[in-house]
Structure formats: C-alpha cells, structure tokens
C-alpha cells in the first residue's frame, strides 16, 4: 500500500508539473499535448489529491509521501491561481466603470467568479441541422444548429455565430462546446453553430464566404428569433477563430463576399479562441515542426509515434514521411509564401486591421503548441494602434484547445468563458 501511495503522489507531482510545462519547440509536446490539456482541466482535483496524500504522509510519518503529495498540490494550485487571476483588459479597453454598462437584467445571470468547482449546464432549446445556405460549387446544403433561450428567459437581442476548429480541413458543429452554448442561451443570446465547407472542397475565401452566408441568413431571419440585426457577433476557435476574425474585419469586401449577395455583412463584435492571426507565421511554425520531427525520426519508436500522430491529425498525408509532405498551410493557400506573400497577408486577420474593426476579444494561451501567441499579441497591438477596441486575455502556461477538456470543471475554460459572457453582455446594451 505504501508503494502505491508513493507512486500516486509522484504521479500527482508529474501531472502538476505538466500543467506548467511549455511544450513549444519540443517534439515531445506532440505526445504530451493531450495529457497536458487533461491535467490542466483537472488541476483542482490534482491539488485536492496531492493535499490528501500529503496529510496521509504526515500521519504515517512518511516524508516521501508527504513531500511528493505537497509538491503535486502546490504545482496544481499554482496553475489554478495563474489561469484564474483577474486582469484589467476590459477596464483598459472600455471604461473603468465597465461593469456598470452591463444591462441590470443580465448581471444576475453572469458567473459570479472566474472559477467554481463545477459549472452546471442549464437547459436550452436546440434546433438541429437548419439550412442557412448552399455551397455554390458542390450544391451541398450548409447546416447550422440553433441554441435558443428556454421558455421564460428574455431575449438579449444578440445573435452569436460560432465556427469550430480543425485546421480548416476537419471538425464539425457541436464539437464539445454545447455546455458553453447552453449557458449563453440561458442568458438570452441566440447561438448559431455552423458547419462550413472544409478544405480541399473550399479555399480560405470560400470558407469566409460561408461565414458571411450565415451572417446574411441571421440578418434576414434574426427577427424571428429575437435577434437585432445590429447585434450579430462572430466567435470561433483555432481555425474557426481565424475565420471569425477575417470575416469580421472584411465587411462587404467583394473578395470575401458571397457572389450575388448585397446583404451587409458587418458585425458588432468578434471573439477568437486561439485563432491564427498571421499565415506567414503559421507557415514558419509548421516548417519548424516538420524539421524537428524529421530529426527525431531516427529515435525509434519515438519518431514513428510522433509522425503517426501528425498524420492522424490530418496535418500530413497518411503513410507519407513528414519530411516529404508539403507544408499544410501551403496546401491550404495554394502557393508558397515566397512566391506570393501578399496573398498570405490578404488571408490573415492582421492584413485587414483598421479603425473599422469591431470590438474584439482574443483568448490565448502563452504556451500554445502551434505558436499562435506572438501573432495574436501583434494583432491586439495593431488593433489598439488603429483605435479599434481590443481585449487580449493571455493565460499563463496554457496550451492550444484549452477550452475543450472537461470545461465544466476546468479553471481556464471557465475563466475564458467568464470573459466571453461579459464581453457579449457589453455588446448587448
């Protein structure tokens, strides 16, 4: 029993240490990314377990057990404190008295703190697979799920359109975020969770056009759902965050506008969870990763395992050595950046920053394994310089897709949502 408890305490310490680890620039990060997400979400449980083991160690006069348990508890607790710490982003961007700008009827529905041990999922009305458009080349219906306030909840007038992640070539609507949509619907918002056409069936402008088809649909039909046409907000995660930003910053731009559409596609705000802001940076990060993986392939079976994970994630063709596969950003855009850097800028949110940009909320982990952090920070700085409202919330040591693992207990997922609901509440006034 003593050995088991010591092993459990050491495992708690290792898991706690992983929550604080920066996996960037390391091929091992490809293997440890998913465990880190899980342990980060479960950090409060790790802290409680470590504390319990420390108490058992003291009672049994076992310094190894007590020390390992205490260390694990401290590491996990530090992660929780780091990611739930308050910030001054809203105060600096809007007004020192910004909470007073939130409509009184909405305040009671907001989370009272940045983290609670368990975030309950309220009821919401869900309508699945509602057509909002047609892909012009394939003729395939574009579908969306609508999350609506339940009976008895007043409508805020705000409609939120959400785009999932998946490297522009994978994923689908209702991808692990139903808990968030339910909570937003319970606050009176309408959430339109859309499927958009993925690569290679569509290029980036085609995907943005799908987003704008959703904007047009909601603008035409929003009144039937209690949505005001001037209160449409875009939100997305990863690739979806990129599409949300690009669509929000290019209102009525003919290059991104659906053919034949005369509907105004300007929006009231945009929220990006770890969305890429600069394709040139993305291309360089992918190249660096490919080089590291190719070097590590000599270490067997480690290299083969890492390469297999990359292939299964759709970032390299199955069965093709990673060093022979083309950069998936190049495949997505269709040309190498050395040949057409202007196209990369045109397809990047950073390339469209100006005073016309709507209020923006950027949610980003500082240890994002895909390297989005620096370009997102530059996007925030460019928006500020242009006079556009931008709030950047950086979560220390947090990795990509931090909101997808155990969100109802995850400190970082809840802290991010705490900011999301306040940002939306400010836009609802």
């Amino acid at each position: 029993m003593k050995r088991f408890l010591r092993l459990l305490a050491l495992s708690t310490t290792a898991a706690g240490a992983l929550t604080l680890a920066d996996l960037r620039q390391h091929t091992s990060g490809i293997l440890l990314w998913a465990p880190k997400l899980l342990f980060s979400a479960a950090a409060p449980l790790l802290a409680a377990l470590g504390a319990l083991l420390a108490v058992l160690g003291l009672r049994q006069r076992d310094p190894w057990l007590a020390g390992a348990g205490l260390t694990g508890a401290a590491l996990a607790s530090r992660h929780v404190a780091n990611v739930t710490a308050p910030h001054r982003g809203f105060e600096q961007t809007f007004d020192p008295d910004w909470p007073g700008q939130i409509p009184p009827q909405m305040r009671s529905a907001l989370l009272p703190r940045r983290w609670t041990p368990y975030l309950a999922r309220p009821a919401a009305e869900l309508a699945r697979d509602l057509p909002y458009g047609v892909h012009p080349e394939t003729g395939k219906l574009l579908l969306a799920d609508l999350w609506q306030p339940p009976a008895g909840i007043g409508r805020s007038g705000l409609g939120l359109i959400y785009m999932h992640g998946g490297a522009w070539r994978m994923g689908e609507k209702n991808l692990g975020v139903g808990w968030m949509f339910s909570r937003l619907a319970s606050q009176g918002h309408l959430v339109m969770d859309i499927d958009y056409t993925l690569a290679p069936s569509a290029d980036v402008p085609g995907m943005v056009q799908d987003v704008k088809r959703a904007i047009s649909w909601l603008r035409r039909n929003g009144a039937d759902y209690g949505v005001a046409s001037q209160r449409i907000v875009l939100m997305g995660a990863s690739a979806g965050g990129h599409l949300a930003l690009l669509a929000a910053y290019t209102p009525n731009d003919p290059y991104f506008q659906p053919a034949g559409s005369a509907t105004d596609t300007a929006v009231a705000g945009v929220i990006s969870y770890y969305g890429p802001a600069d394709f040139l940076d993305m291309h360089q990060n992918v190249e660096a990763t490919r080089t590291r993986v190719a070097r590590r392939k000599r270490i067997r079976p480690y290299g083969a395992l890492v390469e297999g994970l990359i292939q299964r994630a759709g970032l390299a063709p199955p069965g093709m050595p990673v060093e022979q596969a083309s950069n998936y950003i190049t495949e997505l855009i269709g040309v190498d950046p050395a040949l057409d850097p202007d196209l990369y800028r045109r397809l990047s949110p950073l390339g469209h920053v100006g005073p016309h940009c709507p209020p923006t909320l950027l949610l980003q982990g500082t240890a994002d394994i895909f390297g989005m952090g620096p370009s997102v920070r530059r996007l925030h700085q460019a928006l500020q310089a242009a006079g556009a409202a931008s709030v950047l919330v950086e979560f220390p040591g947090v990795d990509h897709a931090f909101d997808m693992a155990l969100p109802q207990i995850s400190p970082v997922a809840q802290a991010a949502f705490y900011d999301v609901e306040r940002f939306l509440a400010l836009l609802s006034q």
Side-chain angles (χ1 to χ4, degrees):
M1 186 63 175
K2 179 180 289 188
R3 288 183 178 179
F4 170 75
L5 290 176
R6 285 184 175 182
L7 179 61
L8 185 59
L10 289 172
S11 299
T12 303
T13 298
L18 188 57
T19 66
L20 303 174
D22 189 340
L23 303 179
R24 294 174 297 174
Q25 312 301 322
H26 301 285
T27 53
S28 60
I30 298 171
L31 300 178
L32 296 175
W33 171 52
K36 180 184 177 182
L37 290 181
L38 179 61
F39 294 143
S40 296
L45 301 180
L46 291 175
L49 178 60
L52 176 61
L53 292 169
V55 171
L56 289 175
L58 291 174
R59 288 186 174 180
Q60 297 177 10
R61 298 183 179 180
D62 185 338
W64 288 98
L65 178 59
L70 184 61
T71 302
L75 292 171
S77 298
R78 181 182 177 187
H79 170 76
V80 174
N82 285 346
V83 301
T84 59
H87 62 84
R88 299 181 59 204
F90 286 91
E91 176 183 339
Q92 294 169 344
T93 302
F94 295 108
D95 187 89
D97 187 37
W98 66 268
Q101 300 177 24
I102 296 176
Q105 66 273 19
M106 294 194 66
R107 293 177 194 168
S108 61
L110 303 180
L111 294 177
R113 57 189 67 87
R114 296 185 70 82
W115 176 73
T116 55
Y118 180 75
L119 186 60
R121 178 172 173 171
E125 293 185 9
L126 174 59
R128 295 188 182 274
D129 296 330
L130 180 72
Y132 70 88
V134 178
H135 188 268
E137 295 182 7
T138 65
K140 183 178 179 181
L141 286 176
L142 299 170
L143 303 178
D145 293 343
L146 290 185
W147 298 73
Q148 303 178 64
I153 299 296
R155 307 274 173 152
S156 69
L158 186 144
L160 181 70
I161 302 173
Y162 181 85
M163 282 67 68
H164 63 78
W168 301 274
R169 65 188 67 199
M170 299 175 292
E172 58 186 355
K173 57 184 172 61
N174 198 17
L175 191 64
V177 285
W179 70 276
M180 178 169 62
F181 298 159
S182 294
R183 292 205 61 85
L184 291 174
S186 74
Q187 295 170 10
H189 307 314
L190 174 82
V191 180
M192 184 177 179
D193 181 19
I194 70 169
D195 274 337
Y196 53 91
T197 310
L198 302 172
S201 297
D203 56 12
V204 172
M207 298 178 201
V208 177
Q209 289 166 13
D210 282 353
V211 176
K212 297 197 174 195
R213 288 185 180 94
I215 296 172
S216 298
W217 185 93
L218 191 54
R219 182 151 279 136
R220 292 193 308 270
N221 299 280
D224 296 337
Y225 299 93
V227 175
S229 62
Q230 73 277 17
R231 290 184 183 173
I232 297 175
V233 178
L234 303 181
M235 179 166 71
S238 194
H242 162 266
L243 296 177
L245 292 169
L246 192 54
Y249 297 168
T250 59
N252 308 315
D253 184 331
Y255 185 69
F256 296 103
Q257 199 80 346
S261 174
T263 305
D264 180 15
T265 54
V267 295
V270 59
I271 301 169
S272 172
Y273 276 81
Y274 43 87
D278 186 350
F279 267 137
L280 289 170
D281 269 9
M282 264 303 268
H283 186 276
Q284 292 176 359
N285 291 333
V286 172
E287 282 298 301
T289 299
R290 278 159 31 91
T291 300
R292 288 197 302 271
V293 172
R295 290 173 180 171
R296 297 299 186 273
K297 282 182 64 176
R298 294 171 293 181
I299 306 174
R300 299 180 182 275
Y302 171 76
L305 179 60
V306 171
E307 184 176 60
L309 288 175
I310 292 176
Q311 292 169 348
R312 281 192 288 274
L315 304 182
M320 178 178 289
V322 68
E323 65 272 18
Q324 296 179 15
S326 61
N327 187 305
Y328 80 91
I329 298 298
T330 302
E331 287 188 347
L332 175 69
I333 295 180
V335 65
D336 189 273
L339 298 177
D340 196 350
D342 289 340
L343 179 58
Y344 277 68
R345 296 186 185 98
R346 191 176 194 181
L347 299 181
S348 301
L350 257 173
H352 297 274
V353 169
H356 68 283
C357 292
T360 300
L361 175 62
L362 302 167
L363 304 163
Q364 181 64 49
T366 63
D368 192 307
I369 194 173
F370 293 107
M372 276 68 158
S375 66
V376 170
R377 196 173 301 118
R378 285 192 290 117
L379 174 62
H380 170 64
Q381 293 166 351
L383 288 166
Q384 289 184 313
S390 176
V391 178
L392 170 62
V393 185
E394 294 185 290
F395 298 101
V398 168
D399 218 315
H400 199 75
F402 60 78
D403 59 319
M404 303 301 289
L406 307 177
Q408 291 179 264
I409 66 170
S410 168
V412 65
Q414 289 189 30
F417 182 73
Y418 180 97
D419 292 323
V420 166
E421 62 178 9
R422 280 157 174 78
F423 182 78
L424 293 177
L426 287 171
L427 298 183
S428 300
Q429 57 181 317

